[in-house]
Amino acid sequence: MSRKRAYRCLNCLEHTVSREFDTSHLSVTCPNCGSFERFVNDAVFQQFRAFEESPPAEIDWARLDRTEKLVVSERLVRSTKTLADFDVVKEEATAGEATAGD
């Protein structure tokens, strides 16, 4: 017997669907919000939400956009990667912008 996995709508964050396969995400129309949206594996979403509530000290979580945060969460949950495998590169200061030490 196959284990069902939950996938959560990334638009409304309320509706979930269950499937008997394990993938990082799927795209379907959400019956709750009506959007054709990506549904993310709920284990990935739970990791994402945990980091949103308590950002990891190892990387600059606040600097990442939502998609990047979901990719990091997905790699941590669905592979052997750890936070040490991610490197958030600081942006270069643009012309006329002050940098630390100036």
Side-chain angles (χ1 to χ4, degrees):
M1 182 174 188
S2 229
R3 180 179 152 217
K4 288 194 173 201
R5 288 172 176 77
Y7 297 86
R8 182 173 303 273
C9 176
L10 284 178
N11 187 53
C12 68
L13 299 177
E14 293 179 18
H15 189 73
T16 60
V17 296
S18 294
R19 299 290 187 266
E20 290 187 6
F21 52 83
D22 184 17
T23 188
S24 64
H25 64 276
L26 50 97
S27 295
V28 296
T29 300
C30 177
N32 188 51
C33 67
S35 174
F36 183 74
E37 193 61 58
R38 179 172 284 192
F39 278 61
V40 68
N41 185 301
D42 203 49
V44 172
F45 180 72
Q46 295 306 322
Q47 180 64 70
F48 168 80
R49 186 173 11 199
F51 282 160
E52 287 289 281
E53 292 173 5
S54 181
E58 295 88 348
I59 61 174
D60 187 1
W61 186 254
R63 188 167 168 281
L64 302 176
D65 66 25
R66 183 179 186 208
T67 300
E68 292 168 325
K69 290 176 179 180
L70 286 164
V71 168
V72 169
S73 298
E74 190 268 335
R75 294 300 190 273
L76 292 173
V77 170
R78 298 182 46 77
S79 75
T80 59
K81 297 220 179 275
T82 67
L83 284 172
D85 293 316
F86 296 94
D87 192 17
V88 178
V89 180
K90 295 199 185 282
E91 290 185 49
E92 297 278 328
T94 58
E97 193 175 285
T99 58
D102 284 348

